[in-house]
């Protein structure tokens, strides 16, 4: 009935897998849990113990395939038609997590959501603020703009439906593969449901790494918009940038904004970052990406 698919990169996942397996057994459903290491260098010995568990299939791949490719491979190898994808840094908090999902098997795509816990370490604060403000959204609010609110960290999809959409493997670096996947889903005409079945996002990143990945995501997003694969409105910051550049004072504003780039990064690296300043920094980056793409 159910294939639970977990791509892993340098994270311990034994606790997550045990929790999921226990819930499936309690429901008395046919299930498998596919765990695939995508070029991990750590926790390999610990995670390898999963190979001895009933209904758990553990594989190590030495070469990192990337976020899109590993998910496509997991779906291809799944035995059942209902697929649940979970990120390896997820923590299941509800005793009825699997039971809640199987209430909605008539839908083609179901997104459960995510939540964040405030960190003690200040260098994780920017990721926490961004995630809790812009990703940890109630299902009722997500449903108003369903495809733009989709994330790949926690969702269920039918295997035969997934086979017609899949993740775009041309996107080699981090960012917006989930946005493109959901928009392709919408174009094909499959139905989607948002529910309250969140996992805890346990992989908060330090500011330096979070900023690095955020810039990668902008580069991916810009590529998708410029190629015509995605409308600018699908990514708010790109849509805002293009609207800003369409007015006479837009370029002037951005050129003046450059002088504050270092100050913006200092604030975002502090214990009290401001998301508005993160948005301004991303406008600077987009201007740089835009100019580079014209050369």
């Amino acid at each position: 009935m159910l294939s639970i698919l977990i791509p892993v990169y340098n994270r311990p996942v034994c606790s997550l897998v045990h929790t999921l397996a226990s819930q499936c057994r309690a429901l008395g459903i046919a299930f498998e849990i596919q765990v695939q290491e995508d070029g991990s260098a750590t926790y390999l010995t610990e995670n390898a113990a999963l190979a001895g568990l009933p209904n758990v299939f553990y594989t190590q791949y030495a070469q990192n395939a990337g976020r899109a490719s590993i998910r496509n491979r997991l779906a291809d190898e799944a035995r059942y038609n209902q697929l649940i994808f979970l990120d390896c840094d997820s923590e299941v908090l509800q005793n009825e997590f699997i039971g809640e999902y199987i209430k909605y098997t008539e839908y083609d795509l179901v997104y459960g959501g995510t939540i964040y816990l405030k960190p003690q370490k200040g260098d994780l604060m920017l990721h926490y603020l961004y995630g809790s403000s812009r990703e940890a959204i109630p299902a009722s609010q997500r449903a108003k703009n369903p495809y733009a609110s989709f994330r790949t960290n926690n969702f269920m999809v039918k295997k035969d439906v997934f086979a017609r959409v899949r993740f775009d493997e041309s996107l080699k670096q981090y960012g917006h593969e989930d946005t493109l996947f959901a928009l392709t889903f919408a174009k094909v005409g499959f139905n989607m449901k948002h529910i309250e079945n969140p996992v805890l996002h346990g992989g908060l990143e330090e500011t330096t790494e979070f900023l690095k990945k955020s810039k990668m995501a902008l580069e991916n997003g810009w590529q998708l918009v410029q190629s015509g694969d995605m409308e600018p409105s699908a990514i708010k910051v790109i849509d805002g940038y293009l609207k800003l550049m369409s007015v006479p004072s837009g370029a002037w504003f951005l050129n003046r904004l450059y002088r504050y780039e270092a100050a913006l990064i200092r604030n975002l690296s502090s214990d009290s970052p401001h998301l508005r300043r993160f948005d301004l920094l991303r406008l600077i980056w987009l201007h740089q990406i835009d100019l580079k793409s014209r050369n």
Side-chain angles (χ1 to χ4, degrees), residues 265-280:
I265 293 174
R266 281 196 299 272
N267 170 260
L268 297 174
S269 302
S270 72
D271 292 338
S272 302
H274 294 276
L275 289 183
R276 177 59 178 163
R277 295 177 185 179
F278 180 52
D279 292 335
L280 291 173

Side-chain angles (χ1 to χ4, degrees), residues 111 113-119 124-138 141-142 149 151 153 174 198-205 210 214 273-275 278-279 282:
Y111 178 56
T114 188
I115 56 176
Y116 289 76
L117 291 182
K118 189 174 182 179
L124 303 175
M125 191 59 67
L126 176 61
H127 192 177
Y128 163 74
L129 286 176
Y130 182 86
S132 58
S133 299
R134 301 187 183 177
E135 294 180 351
I137 304 171
Q141 187 175 340
R142 284 187 264 123
S149 300
R151 299 291 182 270
N153 68 306
Y174 175 89
V199 293
L200 174 65
H201 190 297
L204 289 177
E205 294 172 330
F210 181 72
S214 297
H274 294 276
L275 289 183
F278 180 52
D279 292 335
R282 291 195 293 166

Side-chain angles (χ1 to χ4, degrees), residues 67-68 71 150 152 166-168 171 173-182 220 224 230:
R67 293 166 59 86
R71 285 166 172 79
F150 173 78
T152 59
R166 301 176 66 81
F167 286 102
D168 186 346
L171 298 176
Q173 65 181 28
Y174 175 89
H176 292 297
E177 65 279 347
D178 48 2
T179 311
L180 181 60
F181 178 83
N220 264 7
L224 290 168
M230 187 180 294

Side-chain angles (χ1 to χ4, degrees), residues 276-293:
R276 177 59 178 163
R277 295 177 185 179
F278 180 52
D279 292 335
L280 291 173
L281 179 62
R282 291 195 293 166
L283 288 177
I284 293 173
W285 287 344
L286 278 171
H287 195 218
Q288 294 169 348
I289 293 167
D290 183 10
L291 293 175
K292 184 178 180 180
S293 69

Side-chain angles (χ1 to χ4, degrees), residues 20-295:
L20 295 167
S22 177
Q23 290 193 14
C24 290
R25 287 194 297 268
L27 290 167
I29 61 174
F31 77 97
E32 65 165 350
I33 302 176
Q34 293 266 2
V35 179
Q36 295 189 1
E37 299 276 3
D38 190 23
S40 298
T42 58
Y43 302 105
L44 292 171
T45 301
E46 177 182 339
N47 289 341
L50 294 170
L53 297 179
N55 304 103
V56 175
F57 301 90
Y58 175 80
T59 309
Q60 292 182 1
Y61 292 101
Q63 185 70 32
N64 183 270
R67 293 166 59 86
S69 295
I70 190 67
R71 285 166 172 79
N72 287 341
R73 182 164 59 197
L74 279 161
D76 291 340
E77 296 178 6
R79 291 164 169 79
Y80 299 108
N81 192 47
Q82 292 292 339
L83 314 179
I84 291 179
F85 280 90
L86 289 172
D87 279 359
C88 61
D89 58 5
S90 301
E91 182 178 344
V92 172
L93 303 177
Q94 308 92 284
N95 292 330
E96 300 300 324
F97 176 78
I98 296 297
E100 188 65 21
Y101 259 130
I102 64 177
K103 293 177 183 178
Y104 298 95
T105 53
E106 72 271 23
Y107 291 93
D108 298 316
L109 178 65
V110 185
Y111 178 56
T114 188
I115 56 176
Y116 289 76
L117 291 182
K118 189 174 182 179
Q120 294 182 345
K121 187 177 178 181
D123 201 28
L124 303 175
M125 191 59 67
L126 176 61
H127 192 177
Y128 163 74
L129 286 176
Y130 182 86
S132 58
S133 299
R134 301 187 183 177
E135 294 180 351
I137 304 171
S140 58
Q141 187 175 340
R142 284 187 264 123
K144 295 176 182 177
N145 195 3
Y147 297 100
S149 300
F150 173 78
R151 299 291 182 270
T152 59
N153 68 306
N154 171 28
F155 71 98
M156 182 172 70
V157 62
K158 295 181 185 298
K159 180 174 180 175
D160 53 354
V161 170
F162 182 92
R164 295 180 58 188
V165 180
R166 301 176 66 81
F167 286 102
D168 186 346
E169 297 187 20
S170 69
L171 298 176
K172 297 300 183 182
Q173 65 181 28
Y174 175 89
H176 292 297
E177 65 279 347
D178 48 2
T179 311
L180 181 60
F181 178 83
L183 291 174
T184 305
F185 220 87
K187 290 178 183 177
V188 175
F190 293 123
N191 59 53
M192 181 179 183
K193 177 73 173 177
H194 282 271
I195 64 173
E196 288 295 346
N197 200 28
V199 293
L200 174 65
H201 190 297
L204 289 177
E205 294 172 330
E206 294 182 351
T207 297
T208 300
E209 183 66 16
F210 181 72
L211 291 177
K212 176 183 175 182
K213 287 189 174 181
S214 297
K215 192 170 186 179
M216 287 182 183
L218 289 179
E219 291 168 348
N220 264 7
W222 185 259
Q223 174 187 330
L224 290 168
V225 169
Q226 293 301 300
S227 66
D229 292 325
M230 187 180 294
E231 292 295 323
S233 58
I235 306 174
K236 287 184 178 180
V237 66
I238 292 181
D239 194 40
Y241 169 78
L242 291 174
K243 288 177 179 176
L244 178 63
M245 289 297 290
S246 70
V247 301
S249 60
W252 173 85
F253 171 78
L254 284 167
N255 286 328
R256 287 184 59 84
L257 190 59
Y258 269 83
R259 69 181 68 179
Y260 300 106
E261 182 175 5
L264 293 172
I265 293 174
R266 281 196 299 272
N267 170 260
L268 297 174
S269 302
S270 72
D271 292 338
S272 302
H274 294 276
L275 289 183
R276 177 59 178 163
R277 295 177 185 179
F278 180 52
D279 292 335
L280 291 173
L281 179 62
R282 291 195 293 166
L283 288 177
I284 293 173
W285 287 344
L286 278 171
H287 195 218
Q288 294 169 348
I289 293 167
D290 183 10
L291 293 175
K292 184 178 180 180
S293 69
R294 299 182 190 186
N295 295 331

